[in-house]
Amino acid sequence: MPDNYVDGTTFNLRVKRISDDPTTKKQSDIQWFSYQIITFDNNKYPNTSLVGFTASSESFGSIPRRYYRLRGTRVAVPKNVYTDNDNPTDSDRAGRLVYNSSATWAGGTSLTANGTLRSTWQRLYTNDPAFCLYDLLVNTRYGLSIPETALDEYSFWNISQYNNELVSTQRNVGDAIGAQKSGTWTLAANKSSADITCTVDHKYQTNDLISITFTSGTSGSSPATQNNAVVFKIRRLDRKRFRARKVTPNSSALSGNCTFFETGQEARFSFNEIINKEFRAYDLINAICSNMRVMPFWAAGTLFLSQDKPAPQVNGGSYDKDQDVLPAYIFTNANVVEGNFTYEGSDIKTRSTLVIAKYYDNNQRKMSYVQFPTDDVIANTTIGDPSANDGTSGSHTAPFRDEAIAKYGIVKKQIQAYGCTSAGQAYRLAKWTRESEQLLTETVTFTVSLDTGVIVRPGQVIAINDQVKTGSRRGGRIFAVTGTNKITVDDASASN
């Protein structure tokens, strides 16, 4: 188009035949439908990544589908609180932050008034959901632009430490922890990977860590020293076969028998998600929080996070399910309005006994799922007969049975593990969901006064002493103080 083109300009177009005139009588009418204006311009595309490659059209019938494994944007995380401050992330588990449990952190906002990063923070790649959420909340380009002064950075840091603790990747409760499977192995000449064939479905995934003991057929230290357990990263071949990587090669082919079991570890919670479309802020925040069992709440002008994790113990030390939990506050009939507690149980039909968790499988590049309990546990359970377990009721050795399914039958529930690419993490989510619905079956409702309401926060563990339920009065209020050594309680006639 001419440089002086403007809307409404009239053009005269001449059509010229390129081919020769036909020698036969043939009508070659030309019909004009439309035209397009192509404008060339130099445009900028900030904050955009561009990937280009060439491929022969002879190899593809159409434009091929492409998959990319990205590390995403770098986010602000605490500085100088790691086991190795020069290398804060785990070399074997991309994105996991390796905290020093005894380190302290000064905190503060990540940015100064002029927009530079504070010395107590640093930017790096991580898949820790806590600080991915923090970045999303404060970012002014793609986030919510929430002022950092309205966030409690210490709750994010505390939750982040719990998120990055190592836990087992095991997801087959049908097997006892560390239970061995057996099979045969083959090693081709001069190859550094051995193929293992299992006698049953192994249920492993690519990149799982498996402890393998080669019990026969070895030659020296190839593929490993015989009868010595060695941990290998594997590649899944099919339901009964997998490949152990980086074994010691041998000049001739070898084969034999072996035993093996799953032994890998991973971060408790990892967030791997590409957010490339619009979300309602409330929905996206809750989706990310669901990845790490967190409930966000607003109090006193600040956004806090509360995580479902083991509470402090009465006797201190590490968590023990058989010990009492230290409550944040004790409520009695004396410090609730009208002294009333209202109890309500959950409907049995809403208590799931089989939970299926969907997650994205990076190795298969598609949505996959895991379930709790597993199929072998369900197959070993007789509905309507809670005592049945191959004649050994209450046994804690494989094969297991499931008491909830035996009692209530199959009550199925499907959930989405948002931002999850690990079968182990999805399995733990399914288990947590099922156990929560089976164990947390009663809700208590009561109204408190302002003096006690400001003390407790969502997510804290409280204790309740209800005289109606316990049959005795274990708490009250001080009605008056006389002198230095006499108090009058609100109910002096109470014998307890």
Side-chain angles (χ1 to χ4, degrees):
M1 287 296 175
D3 294 337
N4 60 352
Y5 167 78
V6 295
D7 290 342
T9 303
T10 302
F11 293 94
N12 294 319
L13 302 179
R14 175 179 293 176
V15 180
K16 181 180 179 180
R17 179 188 290 277
I18 298 177
S19 60
D20 295 333
D21 292 336
T23 57
T24 60
K25 292 183 178 180
K26 184 176 180 180
Q27 185 175 357
S28 300
D29 289 344
I30 296 177
Q31 296 181 351
W32 185 276
F33 290 98
S34 64
Y35 67 91
Q36 289 183 335
I37 299 176
I38 300 176
T39 302
F40 295 94
D41 197 2
N42 292 323
N43 294 318
K44 294 181 178 180
Y45 298 92
N47 304 305
T48 302
S49 298
L50 178 65
V51 177
F53 69 94
T54 60
S56 173
S57 60
E58 296 178 352
S59 303
F60 302 95
S62 60
I63 297 176
R65 179 176 293 181
R66 286 88 63 204
Y67 294 92
Y68 303 97
R69 181 165 291 185
L70 306 177
R71 285 212 168 186
T73 186
R74 295 190 302 164
V75 302
V77 299
K79 190 175 182 180
N80 296 330
V81 292
Y82 307 100
T83 302
D84 183 355
N85 289 320
D86 294 327
N87 299 286
T89 56
D90 194 329
S91 59
D92 296 324
R93 303 167 183 87
R96 173 182 171 256
L97 300 173
V98 186
Y99 284 107
N100 179 352
S101 59
S102 61
T104 58
W105 183 48
T109 59
S110 65
L111 298 179
T112 62
N114 59 7
T116 60
L117 198 65
R118 289 189 187 276
S119 60
T120 54
W121 294 74
Q122 61 182 329
R123 290 193 180 277
L124 50 80
Y125 163 75
T126 179
N127 52 20
D128 170 43
F131 283 106
C132 287
L133 176 61
Y134 188 96
D135 178 75
L136 186 72
L137 293 173
V138 303
N139 193 278
T140 56
R141 179 172 66 85
Y142 52 78
L144 300 181
S145 302
I146 295 177
E148 289 191 75
T149 53
L151 302 181
D152 177 28
E153 69 273 19
Y154 292 106
S155 67
F156 284 85
W157 181 42
N158 183 269
I159 289 171
S160 175
Q161 293 177 77
Y162 184 71
N163 292 347
N164 286 279
E165 291 178 356
L166 289 176
V167 295
S168 172
T169 60
Q170 184 163 1
R171 53 193 175 275
N172 300 323
V173 293
D175 301 323
I177 300 300
Q180 290 187 341
K181 294 184 174 72
S182 61
T184 60
W185 61 271
T186 57
L187 176 65
N190 301 315
K191 296 295 183 180
S192 58
S193 58
D195 290 353
I196 286 89
T197 302
C198 188
T199 55
V200 296
D201 289 356
H202 55 69
K203 301 179 182 178
Y204 299 151
Q205 275 195 329
T206 296
N207 293 328
D208 277 351
L209 295 176
I210 307 299
S211 177
I212 304 176
T213 301
F214 297 96
T215 55
S216 67
T218 62
S219 176
S221 60
S222 178
T225 303
Q226 188 161 304
N227 294 324
N228 280 4
V230 181
V231 176
F232 295 97
K233 185 175 285 189
I234 68 149
R235 177 185 175 189
R236 183 182 188 274
L237 300 178
D238 55 39
R239 294 175 61 186
K240 291 190 176 183
R241 296 188 306 132
F242 63 90
R243 179 168 295 161
R245 301 170 176 172
K246 296 184 178 180
V247 303
T248 304
N250 193 64
S251 58
S252 59
L254 300 172
S255 63
N257 298 320
C258 62
T259 59
F260 45 88
F261 61 92
E262 189 175 358
T263 188
Q265 290 184 310
E266 64 183 358
R268 179 178 278 108
F269 300 115
S270 296
F271 181 72
N272 298 287
E273 184 73 21
I274 296 177
I275 303 173
N276 56 3
K277 62 180 181 180
E278 289 186 357
F279 282 88
R280 291 179 56 196
Y282 178 83
D283 294 338
L284 183 57
I285 291 173
N286 280 285
I288 298 176
C289 287
S290 70
N291 177 279
M292 50 181 168
R293 298 204 305 258
V294 159
M295 175 177 59
F297 65 95
W298 190 269
T302 302
L303 179 66
F304 293 90
L305 301 182
S306 176
Q307 188 172 47
D308 187 357
K309 62 181 181 180
Q313 305 271 263
V314 171
N315 60 349
S318 58
Y319 176 75
D320 184 346
K321 64 182 180 62
D322 296 322
Q323 298 294 327
D324 290 332
V325 172
L326 183 66
Y329 197 82
I330 300 176
F331 289 95
T332 69
N333 302 89
N335 56 15
V336 301
V337 176
E338 298 182 357
N340 292 330
F341 295 95
T342 303
Y343 301 90
E344 183 178 3
S346 62
D347 190 343
I348 293 179
K349 296 180 180 179
T350 65
R351 302 177 192 173
S352 304
T353 59
L354 173 63
V355 178
I356 299 173
K358 290 186 176 181
Y359 70 101
Y360 185 81
D361 188 335
N362 273 330
N363 300 304
Q364 300 186 57
R365 297 192 295 273
K366 66 177 185 178
M367 296 300 295
S368 187
Y369 72 91
V370 293
Q371 67 181 51
F372 180 83
T374 52
D375 287 333
D376 44 359
V377 175
I378 296 175
N380 190 56
T381 302
T382 303
I383 297 177
D385 185 7
S387 63
N389 187 19
D390 289 348
T392 56
S393 177
S395 171
H396 293 286
T397 59
F400 293 108
R401 64 182 177 86
D402 189 85
E403 294 182 4
I405 290 180
K407 188 174 182 179
Y408 302 113
I410 300 294
V411 182
K412 186 186 297 184
K413 181 176 185 177
Q414 289 194 2
I415 57 177
Q416 175 71 45
Y418 184 70
C420 175
T421 57
S422 162
Q425 183 176 337
Y427 174 81
R428 293 192 296 274
L429 175 63
K431 181 179 180 180
W432 174 80
T433 302
R434 208 295 290 266
E435 298 298 84
S436 295
E437 294 188 4
Q438 287 295 320
L439 299 175
L440 307 180
T441 59
E442 188 175 49
T443 303
V444 57
T445 305
F446 54 94
T447 304
V448 300
S449 59
L450 185 61
D451 60 337
T452 55
V454 297
I455 297 175
V456 295
R457 291 182 174 180
Q460 289 183 322
V461 176
I462 62 171
I464 294 177
N465 180 262
D466 184 1
Q467 184 178 355
V468 176
K469 266 202 163 187
T470 63
S472 61
R473 188 171 187 264
R474 298 295 184 183
R477 288 179 177 269
I478 297 176
F479 182 75
V481 177
T482 305
T484 59
N485 59 0
K486 182 179 180 180
I487 61 173
T488 303
V489 297
D490 56 348
D491 187 359
S493 63
S495 57
N496 301 114

